[in-house]
Amino acid sequence: MILPYVGFMFFCGIIPIGYGILEVRNPSWVNMDGGPETFIKVLQDFRVGPALINVFFIILIFVPLMAVTVLSISLLLDATDLRGNAFIRLLFLIPALIPTGVAVLFWVSVVGPDVVWDHSNIRWFIGSIAFSTGIGSWIVIQYGSLRSIPPEVLEAGIIDGCNRFQLAIRLKLPMISRYVAYMIILLIVSASQIFNEPNLLIFTNMTTDWSLSQIAFSYAFKAADFAGSSALSIMILIPNIILALLFVFFTDFLKKSRNI
Amino acid sequence: MAFFASIPFLWLIKDSGRMIFSPIIYYDNGIFFVWLKNTSIFVGSALLISVLTCITAGFVMAVLDVPFRRFLLFSTLVTMLIPITAMAMPLYVLIDRIHLNNTLLGLTLASSYFPFGAFLSYLYYSSVLPQELVGMGRIDGLTDFGIYRHLGIPLSKSLISIVTFFSFVGLWNSYQLPRVLLIDPSRSVMSIGIEVFYGQGTTLIGIIMLIPSVLLYLASQKTIARGIFSGAMKG
């Protein structure tokens, strides 16, 4: 039953990863001898430092902002029985449904070309696009998980004297904590791999090396340096894998279906 | 906050007066319709494969005793975290080796793996389907497939809705893989082809790209809103 999925996992996941790792052995523009030194040489690329700062900026400022916003809005939508509840959810979701290219042009039009051409605020601008396109899907997921909390549990909380705020903080949030952790990890992953938003702003004379993924892409498809690209991609992947490991070990995510 | 999120939507409405259909429809002898046809074939087939495989995989990993279960789960988690920029180049080489480069079949094969959906399905089944129920099914003589058919699938309405929705949005808007795997413009898909209209026809493009996803969301939102993990926290 699981074989077709495993086939796709190998074809689209494991084999490409293995290929990428093996590719680092080959000679490249950054390291003519090939081998593990490519990792160090790639890190010495003058573009990596500023790109790292950009990515950290998005992770430190926008990921917490997105997580708090998603949870606040989901909890508010769940707690209030508004008539336009479904419409508001759709409104938040719409930016997530628009292709990034169109979303970037929307935002350029909204803030005006002067703001975008003046690159001093570009981190905030790119972060805002990532924010607006990123929260909608998670609101749908977290709202769905909140709706799954059995009403008996909430009624018990009300009988115990909880107001709506206490219900949210003491009951609802702990009950969906696994999904919140899952969301935070995926938000960090997508922020560390941010590519489309800065790449689509090239028309504003922006460099094509704003993020780490852009540099990896330019190694592979501009300089035809697949070894350098693989080395940098693996280094982007390592912190994400550490996060995933922490996530697996500190939650019960890999347990089989529970017993009652 | 709702106002902030709705800015693109308001912009679409404000700008809709400037929509001009003809340059898009008549561009390059109506190539827009070729992109639309290609996208329908690609999204339709990849969606079907990805939803079927990942929901079944989620069920198997959550409920059944399958060899290398932890390895499969961890591989799902890791492959979900890999930057698409890292995958694009090896995938290009693989697709090229099997002579499917620049074909819709190659793009479909490369896009049909949806680990996010498999992990979501795993979470769902591991919460919704208790082992006692599975044990009772076995006492009644059900095989693994029988348990899936009689216990797993009937419980999956909201899961199928949400996995289908997210898989569709991902495929419909996919950018990097089609950009790398489809070189010939006549074999391109909408998300890539429409780039030529950025600037003049952005509003129209936005609306065209938005409509299928919004319709799918509206069609499935009741099952989604009912709670994707319905029953998950009982007990």
Side-chain angles (χ1 to χ4, degrees), chain A residues 181-229:
Chain A
Y182 182 52
M183 171 184 76
I184 290 171
I185 285 180
L186 288 188
L187 284 176
I188 293 173
V189 169
S190 53
S192 70
Q193 298 171 14
I194 191 161
F195 177 85
N196 289 348
E197 290 86 351
N199 210 46
L200 285 156
L201 283 170
I202 291 170
F203 70 92
T204 67
N205 267 352
M206 211 170 98
T207 64
T208 51
D209 313 317
W210 193 87
S211 73
L212 295 171
S213 289
Q214 277 184 293
I215 299 174
F217 193 80
S218 73
Y219 269 124
F221 295 102
K222 284 186 184 164
D225 185 351
F226 296 128
S229 174

Side-chain angles (χ1 to χ4, degrees), chain A residues 50-120:
Chain A
L52 208 56
I53 294 171
N54 292 334
V55 166
F56 269 121
F57 180 85
I58 302 290
I59 292 176
L60 293 177
I61 306 283
F62 282 93
V63 168
L65 199 63
M66 286 166 86
V68 170
T69 308
V70 166
L71 291 175
S72 314
I73 291 169
S74 308
L75 285 165
L76 277 172
L77 288 173
D78 182 54
T80 47
D81 214 4
L82 277 179
R83 242 189 174 187
N85 197 316
F87 178 70
I88 293 175
R89 267 181 284 133
L90 178 64
L91 218 53
F92 280 112
L93 188 63
I94 279 176
L97 304 181
I98 301 171
T100 320
V102 180
V104 167
L105 290 167
F106 281 150
W107 284 103
V108 170
S109 166
V110 169
V111 300
D114 297 347
V115 177
V116 189
W117 279 82
D118 170 18
H119 288 165
S120 56

Side-chain angles (χ1 to χ4, degrees), chain A residues 130-170:
Chain A
F131 177 89
S132 83
T133 53
I135 57 170
S137 316
W138 284 113
I139 289 174
V140 171
I141 293 180
Q142 297 300 356
Y143 177 78
S145 63
L146 284 167
R147 299 302 288 177
S148 311
I149 298 175
E152 309 90 68
V153 175
L154 300 177
E155 279 162 22
I158 293 167
I159 292 167
D160 285 348
C162 285
N163 58 30
R164 282 186 179 186
F165 181 75
Q166 287 167 327
L167 270 185
I169 300 294
R170 292 185 185 169

